[in-house]
Amino acid sequence: MKRLIDLVKNKFFLVTIAFLVWMIFFDKNDLFSQYQYHQQVSKLKQERDFYKTETEKVSKDLDELTSNPQKLEKFAREKYLMKKDNEDVYVIVNEKQ
């Protein structure tokens, strides 16, 4: 018991405890902030991976559209509802109940 009281009265021990409390709870880079930064980094990495895959898909589609006229025509008809002069286009919309 006396040893514990001597330890609590030691100024180096008190300064060390105060420093640890300050760094863990009150500093600009405390544990809560570090956790939030870690969550934000993981979210940004997921977004980066998503956009990389989307970029690869779009570049693949672009290569196909520039090299194949039939694909370009199919894309224009489906995506932008384009038609030839002598054609009629009917858009069928499925209504959900």
Side-chain angles (χ1 to χ4, degrees):
M1 187 70 179
K2 182 172 177 8
R3 185 176 174 125
L4 184 63
I5 293 173
D6 289 339
L7 183 64
V8 171
K9 287 184 179 181
N10 187 347
K11 63 182 176 182
F12 297 110
F13 177 75
L14 293 175
V15 168
T16 303
I17 295 298
F19 176 74
L20 290 175
V21 167
W22 180 265
M23 293 304 288
I24 292 173
F25 297 110
F26 301 114
D27 191 46
K28 181 176 99 174
N29 297 317
D30 60 349
L31 288 179
F32 183 68
S33 297
Q34 291 297 322
Y35 178 73
Q36 287 179 335
Y37 295 149
H38 179 67
Q39 294 294 330
Q40 188 176 13
V41 166
S42 63
K43 180 182 172 189
L44 289 172
K45 284 181 181 178
Q46 289 176 352
E47 288 181 12
R48 179 196 63 194
D49 294 339
F50 171 75
Y51 287 123
K52 278 185 178 179
T53 57
E54 288 298 314
T55 303
E56 290 171 2
K57 287 178 188 176
V58 168
S59 62
K60 180 183 164 209
D61 288 342
L62 179 64
D63 290 339
E64 288 179 359
L65 292 176
T66 55
S67 64
N68 192 349
Q70 288 85 16
K71 291 252 184 188
L72 180 62
E73 183 178 347
K74 180 182 176 188
F75 180 79
R77 287 173 178 266
E78 290 177 357
K79 184 84 172 174
Y80 297 109
L81 303 176
M82 293 184 171
K83 64 180 185 78
K84 293 182 181 177
D85 290 335
N86 59 353
E87 292 180 332
D88 292 328
V89 176
Y90 298 99
V91 179
I92 299 173
V93 178
N94 293 330
E95 294 182 12
K96 295 183 180 178
Q97 295 179 355

